[in-house]
Structures are given as C-alpha cells and as structure tokens.
Amino acid sequence: MWYAIVAEDTPDSLEKRLSNRPAHIARLNALQDTGCLLLAGPFPAIDSTDPGPAGFTGSLIVAEFPSLEAAKVWANNDPFVTAGVYQHVTVKPFRKTLP
C-alpha cells in the first residue's frame, strides 16, 4: 500500500537540512531503485521553487511499504529526523486515484 509521509521542519532548519540532504536523498534513491517511491519533495517556505535563505517548511514523501508500521519505522529513521530537521512526522495510508 502507498503511504503519505508529511513532515514539518523545525524553525531555522535550513543549515541542518542542507548538511543532511545527501543521506536523506540516498534513502529516497534506494526507495526509487526498488520501485517503491511515487513522489518526494520539500515545501518551500515562500512561493518559489528555489526559496533561498527562506528555506523549507517540511516535506512530502509518498511511497509503498508493506504496512503502516513499516512506513512509520522508515520515516522515523530518516536522517532529517535524527538530525532535528523535522519536528513532527505524520504517516498515513494513501490511495492513489489519479492519474
């Protein structure tokens, strides 16, 4: 089943986000390599694809896992969680309808 992982950044997390991004992206690439990643990306803090120093307010990942518990374990072991980039992570079942 698909699961939506919605994460909210801690205030002023841009520096931590940038320094931990390679490890975060490596985990997403591993999901993509197994065909389990539908989409992933950050929420810019301003209306721009490159928010510069304004940074980001969180992220959205939609990926396939064998269970809700497996999705939660994966999400809670993300480098952005362990480094303190994310202050809150929500994992919910997701049903892809379109396209």
Side-chain angles (χ1 to χ4, degrees), residues 23-80:
H24 172 75
I25 294 297
R27 291 182 86 233
L28 292 171
N29 284 333
L31 274 180
Q32 185 173 13
D33 291 346
T34 62
C36 293
L37 182 65
L38 182 62
L39 63 90
F43 298 120
I46 60 173
D47 190 13
S48 174
T49 57
D50 182 6
F56 301 90
T57 61
S59 301
L60 170 65
I61 300 165
V62 179
E64 189 173 28
F65 293 94
S67 67
L68 178 59
E69 185 58 33
K72 287 180 179 181
V73 167
W74 186 91
N76 289 326
N77 285 303
D78 190 279
F80 279 3

